[in-house]
Amino acid sequence: MGEAGDSNPGAKLAPPPGALSALLQALAASPEPGDAEPLPLPQGTLIGRFEIVRELGRGAFGVVHEARDRDLGRSVALKIVRPGRASSGESQFAREAEAVARLSHPNLVTLYEVGRSEHGPYLVFELLRGKTLQERIDDGQLPVQEAVHIAVEVARGLAHAHAEGVVHRDLKPSNVFVTNRGQVKILDFGMAHAFGRRRVNGGTPAYMAPEQWEDEPEDERTDVFALGVMLYVMLSGEYPFPEGEGRWSAGPTPAPKLDVPIAPGLADLVGRMLETTPRRRPRDGAAVLAALTPIEETLRTRPAEGTVPVRGTRWKATLGDLIAELRRRRVFRVMVGYGIFAFAALQVSEPIMHGAHMPEWVLTAVLAVGFPVAVILAWVFDLTAQGVRRTPSMTASGAVSFTRSRLAVLLVGVALLAALPGAAWYLWKQSGERGRGTPPAGATPSIAVLPFADLSPGKDQEYFADGVAEEIRNALARVEGLKVIGRTSSSSFKGKPDDLKTIGQKLGVTTALEGSIRRSDRRVRVTAQLVAVADGAQVWSRTFDRELNDVFALQDEVALAVVEAMKVRVLPGHLPSSKWTRTADPEVYDRYLLGREFHRLGTLDGYWRAARAFEKALALDAGYAPAWAGLTVAILDAAGISDDFLPEEERKAAAAAGRAVALAPDLPEAYFARAKVREWIELDPAGALTDVERAIAFNPGYAAAECARAMLLSSLGRMPEALAAARRATELEPLQAMPWYVLGRVQDAGGELEQARAAYSRALEFAPSDERATVYLAINRILAGQAGQALAALQRMRAGAYQLEVQALAEHAVGNAKAAQEALGQLEARYSNGWAYQIAEVHAYRGETDQAFLWLERALAKRDYGLVSVRRDPLLRDLHSDPRWKPFLRKMNLPVD
């Protein structure tokens, strides 16, 4: 379809049954179309949900445009059909057209959709990038092996279509496409005939079979004849029936016989395909494929691979001849293999070299010198079943020759040219100029699951679409060796115009999964596509229709298909799975997803609404572990920002966490919930760390658990591990405020005030209203002697305990004792019930040690959540030398060293 992007040829969304027949019937009943040339469509023109980008080409059948699917965000080829006079009586062709719409094969271009518009009927295909076979032939004569390979791929497509009862009837090089990745695709299968374009106006009549010229019945052998003509042209550069523009094919004179000495049997096969009597030809595409396959296999193993037939003899070696000879001698394979070996050698040898204090350039130099040596050895010798043998020269008639001097120059040139990318990469690596967020070559496979669009009739299923996308993301996160970006960062692009390349750079991923959800009554349709963010090329696409209660199997199927498409090696026991959230009742899952949506609001009201939604889910299914875990976290998060002490709710949260773990011993969220209980309520940081690490083991992409792990490790004094966990969280959620806030807290605790300030600033870039980041950035400035800037930040804080704490600290730091005391007095009078820890911080910073310990004891009695920071809190450092400090840490079950 003109210029296009390679797509996975798997199953894709086809037109609904009868859509093409309905269109043909409407055209049959319409007035005879005129022959006026269609007007160009300007960029931005909308045809249905497709937005025109540019025109790719025109032909007798229609005008092809590159367009963008606004619902799915993918590029497509949209062909405005230039219809002939379709006949309503030709039901056979209507049936064939419908069959075409359902064909799915790697060698057939995929038809996505059909429709009508004010500009005429249109067909929507996958977008391909490359050139037509006609353009490839125009570039110069094809080597024998390439010509046979293309014919084999076309025969594969024909065999599949013929088995489904579909005949092309207009097969020619301009209807065969060779993509940039070497895929061969047949275009316009059966469409020309269905739309009244049986005759080629201005095309190439020489590809028409005799029965087409004589209006006799056509069948699969009509396509066989056209493929025979194509193969003849590719091998000889001439038409088999040049006189009369192909009409001689209906006469008694047979086509001149080819002479292809390196491919025995090929000339006879082409002769049979070009028989003027249909019954003498191979029966269909499958018969041609069966005859061509052994010929292709023979060409692959013969020394004369890549030579041209006698009719095309050339005595002077050209660049094309050199490339063909390099392929024959398997030099390209050695080059690729050497690159893989070099990469592996660098990875294995680097630690050894460092241990031996050897400079990095040593191994690089050895590998660079070895590359041209490997290329030359590959040219001279070949590895066979009988051992290493000298590669024989081409002996076929018409074979080209290479002088030694010219050959040496060419081989060294090829070696140096192939080494240039590696040298450029090495220099780039040494310079350290890597693009922000762009993964380096050889990076871990990575993916971002973008928000799924809600295409439901009522547009009221956004929470369901988000839930399905998140479960697919969680399932993928279980795959070892696959980097999966967290939900918050991936969802930050919802409703924004960023293209996939920009998204990939910001998230540091190579692929993105996007799609849509349509939920209606008891059914759900999910359309998903995997896209390479570097060039927007579609890697995989599929549509799933399921009953609502089968949505969990659907999520796993999507995740597994993505893993297979990305060619990620999955270790045993690490298959993507959404088993953690399965339930027999779709209503339970619906309530659970609503609870998660409310929880993401991050407000006190949102947390309580989430708790109520989880409780409703549990009322329907008391054995649903994810809802018990969600209930725990919602209650604790609500209590953490409430001004009241809520012991009853905390006990409920603790019981819910226990139920979650008991019901689902492999549920990551259950261990995360119990870790919160152990840390905040039971004051068991070591037990909390164990639970958090279990959660991460079950879900390596669990960013929230990595944040908790960083804070716990910091509390326990394991600072290097804490920093590593915090940085890991920022990699999983690079655009979420929480990981950057946690990184700042850990860096503050380690005395890295400047780095912490940068982390808090990054958090506020992504969430300008995040109160925690605002507060601790202000405290960071106070610790750094910049209390004036902390006072200026007060106006950006909401009125409450945090604002009063910062004011009390900053006013004290600038020497304004009266204002500081007034702020502290208000803090103690209004928030003593739930903010005892923050009051202790102010007293400690002011040097009021007795008051600080008094308020710390009150915080301990009420299980104040702020105590999780006590050991690492820089505001409490003056208390460390007090004899009461270590006994207090022991009460908290924290190490005293």
Side-chain angles (χ1 to χ4, degrees), residues 36-63:
E37 186 71 13
L39 294 174
L41 296 180
Q43 182 179 357
T45 301
L46 286 180
I47 297 179
R49 70 174 192 271
F50 304 100
E51 180 179 350
I52 297 297
V53 176
R54 60 184 174 127
E55 184 175 312
L56 297 177
R58 293 178 172 234
F61 181 28
V63 183

PDB file of all heavy atoms in Angstrom, residues 36-63:
ATOM      1  N   ALA A  36     -13.834  11.048 -14.192  1.00  0.00           N
ATOM      2  CA  ALA A  36     -13.083  12.217 -13.745  1.00  0.00           C
ATOM      3  C   ALA A  36     -12.037  11.818 -12.710  1.00  0.00           C
ATOM      4  O   ALA A  36     -12.285  10.965 -11.861  1.00  0.00           O
ATOM      5  CB  ALA A  36     -14.036  13.256 -13.158  1.00  0.00           C
ATOM      6  N   GLU A  37     -10.881  12.428 -12.807  1.00  0.00           N
ATOM      7  CA  GLU A  37      -9.801  12.148 -11.865  1.00  0.00           C
ATOM      8  C   GLU A  37     -10.170  12.674 -10.481  1.00  0.00           C
ATOM      9  O   GLU A  37     -10.573  13.833 -10.350  1.00  0.00           O
ATOM     10  CB  GLU A  37      -8.509  12.819 -12.339  1.00  0.00           C
ATOM     11  CG  GLU A  37      -7.286  12.485 -11.524  1.00  0.00           C
ATOM     12  CD  GLU A  37      -6.817  11.053 -11.723  1.00  0.00           C
ATOM     13  OE1 GLU A  37      -7.293  10.397 -12.681  1.00  0.00           O
ATOM     14  OE2 GLU A  37      -5.977  10.601 -10.928  1.00  0.00           O
ATOM     15  N   PRO A  38     -10.079  11.854  -9.420  1.00  0.00           N
ATOM     16  CA  PRO A  38     -10.430  12.330  -8.074  1.00  0.00           C
ATOM     17  C   PRO A  38      -9.546  13.496  -7.659  1.00  0.00           C
ATOM     18  O   PRO A  38      -8.367  13.545  -7.974  1.00  0.00           O
ATOM     19  CB  PRO A  38     -10.171  11.089  -7.193  1.00  0.00           C
ATOM     20  CG  PRO A  38     -10.175   9.930  -8.132  1.00  0.00           C
ATOM     21  CD  PRO A  38      -9.674  10.452  -9.434  1.00  0.00           C
ATOM     22  N   LEU A  39     -10.148  14.441  -6.956  1.00  0.00           N
ATOM     23  CA  LEU A  39      -9.403  15.594  -6.470  1.00  0.00           C
ATOM     24  C   LEU A  39      -8.502  15.180  -5.306  1.00  0.00           C
ATOM     25  O   LEU A  39      -8.861  14.298  -4.528  1.00  0.00           O
ATOM     26  CB  LEU A  39     -10.370  16.691  -6.017  1.00  0.00           C
ATOM     27  CG  LEU A  39     -11.226  17.324  -7.120  1.00  0.00           C
ATOM     28  CD1 LEU A  39     -12.229  18.289  -6.498  1.00  0.00           C
ATOM     29  CD2 LEU A  39     -10.356  18.045  -8.142  1.00  0.00           C
ATOM     30  N   PRO A  40      -7.344  15.816  -5.166  1.00  0.00           N
ATOM     31  CA  PRO A  40      -6.476  15.504  -4.008  1.00  0.00           C
ATOM     32  C   PRO A  40      -7.184  15.859  -2.703  1.00  0.00           C
ATOM     33  O   PRO A  40      -7.919  16.842  -2.628  1.00  0.00           O
ATOM     34  CB  PRO A  40      -5.249  16.397  -4.242  1.00  0.00           C
ATOM     35  CG  PRO A  40      -5.301  16.787  -5.691  1.00  0.00           C
ATOM     36  CD  PRO A  40      -6.752  16.826  -6.058  1.00  0.00           C
ATOM     37  N   LEU A  41      -6.955  15.047  -1.674  1.00  0.00           N
ATOM     38  CA  LEU A  41      -7.530  15.319  -0.359  1.00  0.00           C
ATOM     39  C   LEU A  41      -6.477  16.014   0.492  1.00  0.00           C
ATOM     40  O   LEU A  41      -5.367  15.496   0.668  1.00  0.00           O
ATOM     41  CB  LEU A  41      -7.973  14.021   0.326  1.00  0.00           C
ATOM     42  CG  LEU A  41      -9.091  13.256  -0.369  1.00  0.00           C
ATOM     43  CD1 LEU A  41      -9.428  12.002   0.427  1.00  0.00           C
ATOM     44  CD2 LEU A  41     -10.326  14.114  -0.534  1.00  0.00           C
ATOM     45  N   PRO A  42      -6.790  17.186   1.032  1.00  0.00           N
ATOM     46  CA  PRO A  42      -5.794  17.905   1.844  1.00  0.00           C
ATOM     47  C   PRO A  42      -5.512  17.181   3.151  1.00  0.00           C
ATOM     48  O   PRO A  42      -6.346  16.425   3.660  1.00  0.00           O
ATOM     49  CB  PRO A  42      -6.451  19.267   2.090  1.00  0.00           C
ATOM     50  CG  PRO A  42      -7.911  19.021   1.939  1.00  0.00           C
ATOM     51  CD  PRO A  42      -8.055  17.940   0.917  1.00  0.00           C
ATOM     52  N   GLN A  43      -4.343  17.438   3.707  1.00  0.00           N
ATOM     53  CA  GLN A  43      -3.983  16.863   5.002  1.00  0.00           C
ATOM     54  C   GLN A  43      -4.995  17.299   6.053  1.00  0.00           C
ATOM     55  O   GLN A  43      -5.407  18.451   6.102  1.00  0.00           O
ATOM     56  CB  GLN A  43      -2.586  17.330   5.404  1.00  0.00           C
ATOM     57  CG  GLN A  43      -2.094  16.750   6.726  1.00  0.00           C
ATOM     58  CD  GLN A  43      -0.697  17.219   7.065  1.00  0.00           C
ATOM     59  OE1 GLN A  43      -0.077  17.928   6.297  1.00  0.00           O
ATOM     60  NE2 GLN A  43      -0.196  16.824   8.222  1.00  0.00           N
ATOM     61  N   GLY A  44      -5.383  16.358   6.907  1.00  0.00           N
ATOM     62  CA  GLY A  44      -6.349  16.655   7.957  1.00  0.00           C
ATOM     63  C   GLY A  44      -7.780  16.308   7.602  1.00  0.00           C
ATOM     64  O   GLY A  44      -8.663  16.335   8.461  1.00  0.00           O
ATOM     65  N   THR A  45      -8.042  15.955   6.321  1.00  0.00           N
ATOM     66  CA  THR A  45      -9.391  15.551   5.934  1.00  0.00           C
ATOM     67  C   THR A  45      -9.796  14.309   6.721  1.00  0.00           C
ATOM     68  O   THR A  45      -9.024  13.355   6.851  1.00  0.00           O
ATOM     69  CB  THR A  45      -9.449  15.245   4.428  1.00  0.00           C
ATOM     70  OG1 THR A  45      -9.067  16.410   3.699  1.00  0.00           O
ATOM     71  CG2 THR A  45     -10.858  14.819   4.012  1.00  0.00           C
ATOM     72  N   LEU A  46     -11.016  14.323   7.253  1.00  0.00           N
ATOM     73  CA  LEU A  46     -11.516  13.192   8.039  1.00  0.00           C
ATOM     74  C   LEU A  46     -12.409  12.320   7.172  1.00  0.00           C
ATOM     75  O   LEU A  46     -13.340  12.804   6.529  1.00  0.00           O
ATOM     76  CB  LEU A  46     -12.291  13.678   9.261  1.00  0.00           C
ATOM     77  CG  LEU A  46     -11.463  14.258  10.405  1.00  0.00           C
ATOM     78  CD1 LEU A  46     -12.376  14.697  11.545  1.00  0.00           C
ATOM     79  CD2 LEU A  46     -10.457  13.232  10.916  1.00  0.00           C
ATOM     80  N   ILE A  47     -12.118  11.038   7.184  1.00  0.00           N
ATOM     81  CA  ILE A  47     -12.967  10.040   6.535  1.00  0.00           C
ATOM     82  C   ILE A  47     -13.287   9.019   7.612  1.00  0.00           C
ATOM     83  O   ILE A  47     -12.459   8.182   7.952  1.00  0.00           O
ATOM     84  CB  ILE A  47     -12.266   9.397   5.332  1.00  0.00           C
ATOM     85  CG1 ILE A  47     -11.978  10.448   4.272  1.00  0.00           C
ATOM     86  CG2 ILE A  47     -13.107   8.276   4.758  1.00  0.00           C
ATOM     87  CD1 ILE A  47     -11.269   9.920   3.054  1.00  0.00           C
ATOM     88  N   GLY A  48     -14.487   9.133   8.153  1.00  0.00           N
ATOM     89  CA  GLY A  48     -14.809   8.324   9.329  1.00  0.00           C
ATOM     90  C   GLY A  48     -13.909   8.739  10.476  1.00  0.00           C
ATOM     91  O   GLY A  48     -13.785   9.912  10.799  1.00  0.00           O
ATOM     92  N   ARG A  49     -13.237   7.754  11.072  1.00  0.00           N
ATOM     93  CA  ARG A  49     -12.321   8.066  12.179  1.00  0.00           C
ATOM     94  C   ARG A  49     -10.882   8.198  11.694  1.00  0.00           C
ATOM     95  O   ARG A  49      -9.958   8.292  12.493  1.00  0.00           O
ATOM     96  CB  ARG A  49     -12.405   6.982  13.254  1.00  0.00           C
ATOM     97  CG  ARG A  49     -11.827   5.625  12.863  1.00  0.00           C
ATOM     98  CD  ARG A  49     -11.832   4.685  14.072  1.00  0.00           C
ATOM     99  NE  ARG A  49     -11.068   3.486  13.874  1.00  0.00           N
ATOM    100  CZ  ARG A  49     -11.534   2.354  13.363  1.00  0.00           C
ATOM    101  NH1 ARG A  49     -12.811   2.300  12.979  1.00  0.00           N
ATOM    102  NH2 ARG A  49     -10.764   1.291  13.226  1.00  0.00           N
ATOM    103  N   PHE A  50     -10.689   8.235  10.365  1.00  0.00           N
ATOM    104  CA  PHE A  50      -9.350   8.266   9.802  1.00  0.00           C
ATOM    105  C   PHE A  50      -9.017   9.676   9.303  1.00  0.00           C
ATOM    106  O   PHE A  50      -9.799  10.278   8.567  1.00  0.00           O
ATOM    107  CB  PHE A  50      -9.229   7.257   8.656  1.00  0.00           C
ATOM    108  CG  PHE A  50      -9.579   5.857   9.070  1.00  0.00           C
ATOM    109  CD1 PHE A  50     -10.821   5.313   8.795  1.00  0.00           C
ATOM    110  CD2 PHE A  50      -8.661   5.091   9.783  1.00  0.00           C
ATOM    111  CE1 PHE A  50     -11.147   4.030   9.192  1.00  0.00           C
ATOM    112  CE2 PHE A  50      -8.978   3.806  10.183  1.00  0.00           C
ATOM    113  CZ  PHE A  50     -10.222   3.275   9.896  1.00  0.00           C
ATOM    114  N   GLU A  51      -7.843  10.158   9.706  1.00  0.00           N
ATOM    115  CA  GLU A  51      -7.400  11.496   9.333  1.00  0.00           C
ATOM    116  C   GLU A  51      -6.302  11.382   8.275  1.00  0.00           C
ATOM    117  O   GLU A  51      -5.280  10.735   8.490  1.00  0.00           O
ATOM    118  CB  GLU A  51      -6.866  12.225  10.566  1.00  0.00           C
ATOM    119  CG  GLU A  51      -6.385  13.630  10.281  1.00  0.00           C
ATOM    120  CD  GLU A  51      -5.880  14.333  11.526  1.00  0.00           C
ATOM    121  OE1 GLU A  51      -6.085  13.791  12.637  1.00  0.00           O
ATOM    122  OE2 GLU A  51      -5.277  15.407  11.383  1.00  0.00           O
ATOM    123  N   ILE A  52      -6.532  12.015   7.094  1.00  0.00           N
ATOM    124  CA  ILE A  52      -5.587  11.936   5.992  1.00  0.00           C
ATOM    125  C   ILE A  52      -4.284  12.632   6.376  1.00  0.00           C
ATOM    126  O   ILE A  52      -4.284  13.765   6.873  1.00  0.00           O
ATOM    127  CB  ILE A  52      -6.175  12.574   4.718  1.00  0.00           C
ATOM    128  CG1 ILE A  52      -7.425  11.793   4.263  1.00  0.00           C
ATOM    129  CG2 ILE A  52      -5.140  12.621   3.600  1.00  0.00           C
ATOM    130  CD1 ILE A  52      -7.162  10.371   3.871  1.00  0.00           C
ATOM    131  N   VAL A  53      -3.151  11.955   6.119  1.00  0.00           N
ATOM    132  CA  VAL A  53      -1.836  12.530   6.364  1.00  0.00           C
ATOM    133  C   VAL A  53      -1.205  13.001   5.063  1.00  0.00           C
ATOM    134  O   VAL A  53      -0.751  14.128   4.938  1.00  0.00           O
ATOM    135  CB  VAL A  53      -0.915  11.512   7.065  1.00  0.00           C
ATOM    136  CG1 VAL A  53       0.490  12.074   7.231  1.00  0.00           C
ATOM    137  CG2 VAL A  53      -1.492  11.111   8.416  1.00  0.00           C
ATOM    138  N   ARG A  54      -1.221  12.128   4.059  1.00  0.00           N
ATOM    139  CA  ARG A  54      -0.662  12.497   2.753  1.00  0.00           C
ATOM    140  C   ARG A  54      -1.072  11.458   1.736  1.00  0.00           C
ATOM    141  O   ARG A  54      -1.481  10.339   2.081  1.00  0.00           O
ATOM    142  CB  ARG A  54       0.862  12.576   2.815  1.00  0.00           C
ATOM    143  CG  ARG A  54       1.530  11.272   3.217  1.00  0.00           C
ATOM    144  CD  ARG A  54       3.027  11.433   3.360  1.00  0.00           C
ATOM    145  NE  ARG A  54       3.639  10.222   3.868  1.00  0.00           N
ATOM    146  CZ  ARG A  54       4.668   9.597   3.292  1.00  0.00           C
ATOM    147  NH1 ARG A  54       5.173  10.057   2.174  1.00  0.00           N
ATOM    148  NH2 ARG A  54       5.182   8.503   3.824  1.00  0.00           N
ATOM    149  N   GLU A  55      -0.958  11.831   0.456  1.00  0.00           N
ATOM    150  CA  GLU A  55      -1.254  10.909  -0.631  1.00  0.00           C
ATOM    151  C   GLU A  55      -0.006  10.112  -0.954  1.00  0.00           C
ATOM    152  O   GLU A  55       1.092  10.661  -1.074  1.00  0.00           O
ATOM    153  CB  GLU A  55      -1.729  11.681  -1.862  1.00  0.00           C
ATOM    154  CG  GLU A  55      -2.154  10.775  -3.008  1.00  0.00           C
ATOM    155  CD  GLU A  55      -2.741  11.541  -4.185  1.00  0.00           C
ATOM    156  OE1 GLU A  55      -3.614  12.419  -3.963  1.00  0.00           O
ATOM    157  OE2 GLU A  55      -2.303  11.290  -5.325  1.00  0.00           O
ATOM    158  N   LEU A  56      -0.172   8.792  -1.124  1.00  0.00           N
ATOM    159  CA  LEU A  56       0.959   7.919  -1.411  1.00  0.00           C
ATOM    160  C   LEU A  56       1.064   7.554  -2.884  1.00  0.00           C
ATOM    161  O   LEU A  56       2.149   7.300  -3.385  1.00  0.00           O
ATOM    162  CB  LEU A  56       0.869   6.635  -0.578  1.00  0.00           C
ATOM    163  CG  LEU A  56       0.944   6.803   0.945  1.00  0.00           C
ATOM    164  CD1 LEU A  56       0.772   5.456   1.630  1.00  0.00           C
ATOM    165  CD2 LEU A  56       2.262   7.430   1.353  1.00  0.00           C
ATOM    166  N   GLY A  57      -0.078   7.467  -3.595  1.00  0.00           N
ATOM    167  CA  GLY A  57      -0.027   7.077  -5.002  1.00  0.00           C
ATOM    168  C   GLY A  57      -1.410   6.917  -5.592  1.00  0.00           C
ATOM    169  O   GLY A  57      -2.418   6.835  -4.883  1.00  0.00           O
ATOM    170  N   ARG A  58      -1.448   6.852  -6.941  1.00  0.00           N
ATOM    171  CA  ARG A  58      -2.712   6.700  -7.671  1.00  0.00           C
ATOM    172  C   ARG A  58      -2.576   5.566  -8.661  1.00  0.00           C
ATOM    173  O   ARG A  58      -1.490   5.328  -9.205  1.00  0.00           O
ATOM    174  CB  ARG A  58      -3.075   7.991  -8.405  1.00  0.00           C
ATOM    175  CG  ARG A  58      -3.414   9.143  -7.470  1.00  0.00           C
ATOM    176  CD  ARG A  58      -3.714  10.422  -8.215  1.00  0.00           C
ATOM    177  NE  ARG A  58      -4.219  11.424  -7.277  1.00  0.00           N
ATOM    178  CZ  ARG A  58      -5.361  12.075  -7.420  1.00  0.00           C
ATOM    179  NH1 ARG A  58      -6.125  11.844  -8.486  1.00  0.00           N
ATOM    180  NH2 ARG A  58      -5.755  12.957  -6.533  1.00  0.00           N
ATOM    181  N   GLY A  59      -3.679   4.903  -8.915  1.00  0.00           N
ATOM    182  CA  GLY A  59      -3.715   3.843  -9.904  1.00  0.00           C
ATOM    183  C   GLY A  59      -5.107   3.726 -10.489  1.00  0.00           C
ATOM    184  O   GLY A  59      -6.012   4.498 -10.163  1.00  0.00           O
ATOM    185  N   ALA A  60      -5.264   2.733 -11.357  1.00  0.00           N
ATOM    186  CA  ALA A  60      -6.567   2.563 -12.001  1.00  0.00           C
ATOM    187  C   ALA A  60      -7.637   2.152 -10.999  1.00  0.00           C
ATOM    188  O   ALA A  60      -8.820   2.416 -11.198  1.00  0.00           O
ATOM    189  CB  ALA A  60      -6.456   1.499 -13.107  1.00  0.00           C
ATOM    190  N   PHE A  61      -7.215   1.521  -9.903  1.00  0.00           N
ATOM    191  CA  PHE A  61      -8.178   1.022  -8.930  1.00  0.00           C
ATOM    192  C   PHE A  61      -8.556   2.074  -7.891  1.00  0.00           C
ATOM    193  O   PHE A  61      -9.643   2.048  -7.335  1.00  0.00           O
ATOM    194  CB  PHE A  61      -7.561  -0.211  -8.266  1.00  0.00           C
ATOM    195  CG  PHE A  61      -8.438  -0.881  -7.245  1.00  0.00           C
ATOM    196  CD1 PHE A  61      -9.826  -0.822  -7.299  1.00  0.00           C
ATOM    197  CD2 PHE A  61      -7.862  -1.588  -6.211  1.00  0.00           C
ATOM    198  CE1 PHE A  61     -10.606  -1.448  -6.343  1.00  0.00           C
ATOM    199  CE2 PHE A  61      -8.643  -2.219  -5.254  1.00  0.00           C
ATOM    200  CZ  PHE A  61     -10.013  -2.143  -5.326  1.00  0.00           C
ATOM    201  N   GLY A  62      -7.655   3.023  -7.611  1.00  0.00           N
ATOM    202  CA  GLY A  62      -7.978   4.020  -6.602  1.00  0.00           C
ATOM    203  C   GLY A  62      -6.779   4.854  -6.207  1.00  0.00           C
ATOM    204  O   GLY A  62      -5.687   4.725  -6.770  1.00  0.00           O
ATOM    205  N   VAL A  63      -7.004   5.711  -5.220  1.00  0.00           N
ATOM    206  CA  VAL A  63      -5.972   6.615  -4.703  1.00  0.00           C
ATOM    207  C   VAL A  63      -5.643   6.180  -3.278  1.00  0.00           C
ATOM    208  O   VAL A  63      -6.548   6.033  -2.452  1.00  0.00           O
ATOM    209  CB  VAL A  63      -6.450   8.080  -4.720  1.00  0.00           C
ATOM    210  CG1 VAL A  63      -5.332   9.004  -4.253  1.00  0.00           C
ATOM    211  CG2 VAL A  63      -6.925   8.476  -6.109  1.00  0.00           C
TER     212      VAL A  63
END
